[in-house]
Amino acid sequence: MEVIRTISDLRRRLSTENETCCVPTMGNIHDGHLSLVKIGKERAPTVITTIFVNRLQFSQSDDFAHYPRTFDDDCEKLAVAGNDIVFCPDEDQMYPEPQLFFIDPPKVAKRLEGRFRPGHFRGVCTVVTKLFNVVQPQHAVFGKKDYQQLAIIRELTEQLALPINIVSAETVRAEDGLALSSRNRFLTETERSEAPRLRDTMNKIKTAILDGDRKYVAMEYAAGASLARYGWNVDYVVIRAQKGLRRPTEGESKLVVLGAATLGSTRLIDNLEINVE
Ligand code: PAF
């Protein structure tokens, strides 16, 4: 597996490739990321995983400095998974000068995660566009774990007519249902055993909806209150239409439950799609 650190080296290396797939990450690679690489390999002969902890998408409270950086370990895992190239620019490569041009996403980016992490999606859209310009892949894979991010990047790609096929990947979960995330390592033992409750709560909503319940607001409220009783600090648990992440209209059949809540000092997010027959 090749490791490339500069934009010029990457451009030179990719100049002879016809079809590539990009897997953008911030490192701290786990099985969730490796599943993206696997999907990438099915799409294109050359997979480029990018590792760049993007300062622009962190607000102060998100703590850019504490984001786990595990480069050697990441490379080992990526090589085993069959990844071809790791592109790991430093800040001087990606932001040689302070970034003054931004991709400003529409209203959907102000809701849900955007409400609790102002400016987050502006930072994500800006760096993803820049990475796309650098790598110029035909395909790019993003996990459904960051459901809102995936939706926004799809729209960004469409609206800016970027010739890139955005591929989504199912969330990879631990045996007890907890979605894999770089943040899970910050959970204490007790918190780790409590953590699957977020997913369980969403599953209950799914069962209720599939059983015919349509009192969405009441279900959202009950889910939040139930998590709070177990010590969670709930930002939101909401039922939305998969498309546009707006409130569902009557008869809407493609739904998604989205949730974000903090356990101790670790904020977890998760989601669950519901397709009503
Ligand atoms: O999902 C992530 O890890 C990041 O938001 C991304 C897409 C790599 C942009 O920095």
Side-chain angles (χ1 to χ4, degrees):
M1 189 179 71
E2 294 163 73
V3 175
I4 299 182
R5 296 177 189 275
T6 67
I7 293 175
S8 54
D9 283 352
L10 187 71
R11 288 213 163 115
R12 207 170 306 121
R13 167 64 183 81
L14 294 180
S15 60
T16 51
E17 296 286 344
N18 294 326
E19 195 171 18
T20 63
C21 180
C22 183
V23 178
T25 81
M26 296 204 297
N28 198 237
I29 299 297
H30 51 65
D31 284 352
H33 299 110
L34 299 180
S35 78
L36 308 185
V37 171
K38 191 166 166 252
I39 290 172
K41 286 297 290 179
E42 287 160 11
R43 298 279 166 158
T46 306
V47 174
I48 301 113
T49 296
T50 68
I51 298 184
F52 180 65
V53 185
N54 172 38
R55 188 186 289 276
L56 297 185
Q57 70 190 73
F58 288 83
S59 56
Q60 271 149 354
S61 58
D62 282 334
D63 219 350
F64 167 77
H66 286 116
Y67 192 86
R69 288 159 173 87
T70 50
F71 185 68
D72 293 341
D73 196 42
D74 292 352
C75 283
E76 266 176 47
K77 290 179 180 161
L78 288 168
V80 173
N83 182 65
D84 299 286
I85 299 173
V86 175
F87 177 55
C88 50
D90 62 15
E91 284 216 285
D92 282 351
Q93 277 295 309
M94 287 303 280
Y95 304 127
E97 293 161 18
Q99 185 75 20
L100 300 177
F101 288 83
F102 290 90
I103 299 286
D104 216 351
K107 266 201 313 222
V108 62
K110 305 267 185 300
R111 304 201 292 257
L112 305 170
E113 282 305 280
R115 236 187 94 207
F116 293 90
R117 305 176 70 188
H120 171 68
F121 288 119
R122 184 182 189 242
V124 170
C125 288
T126 304
V127 80
V128 167
T129 305
K130 203 157 177 172
L131 287 167
F132 281 174
N133 285 335
V134 170
V135 180
Q136 299 195 7
Q138 281 65 47
H139 313 269
V141 192
F142 292 86
K144 281 193 186 175
K145 160 87 189 336
D146 293 300
Y147 203 87
Q148 193 178 4
Q149 169 173 285
L150 171 64
I152 290 170
I153 286 169
R154 269 195 197 291
E155 259 186 66
L156 162 84
T157 311
E158 259 173 52
Q159 287 230 327
L160 297 186
L162 305 179
I164 301 172
N165 168 32
I166 303 297
V167 182
S168 65
E170 293 302 324
T171 303
V172 178
R173 298 179 180 279
E175 249 172 52
D176 60 7
L178 178 65
L180 297 194
S181 159
S182 305
R183 294 180 181 215
N184 294 353
R185 61 158 55 198
F186 298 122
L187 296 167
T188 64
E189 212 175 300
T190 324
E191 288 163 1
R192 175 63 189 81
S193 55
E194 171 60 24
R197 196 180 304 279
L198 182 58
R199 161 74 168 186
D200 296 345
T201 306
M202 292 181 172
N203 258 324
K204 280 188 194 141
I205 292 183
K206 180 173 180 171
T207 308
I209 291 178
L210 293 180
D211 283 349
D213 195 344
R214 295 290 177 270
K215 296 191 204 76
Y216 297 141
V217 175
M219 279 188 260
E220 293 171 357
Y221 182 79
S226 151
L227 285 167
R229 275 198 297 281
Y230 287 94
W232 294 74
N233 197 344
V234 181
D235 286 344
Y236 58 86
V237 177
V238 293
I239 301 158
R240 292 290 178 261
Q242 286 173 21
K243 204 163 165 49
L245 304 184
R246 43 171 179 74
R247 280 181 195 285
T249 51
E250 227 187 288
E252 189 98 47
S253 61
K254 289 188 175 309
L255 302 168
V256 56
V257 191
L258 300 138
T262 301
L263 205 47
S265 56
T266 307
R267 187 171 183 275
L268 301 176
I269 63 170
D270 204 348
N271 64 78
L272 190 59
E273 286 181 323
I274 306 169
N275 296 310
V276 183
E277 291 297 303

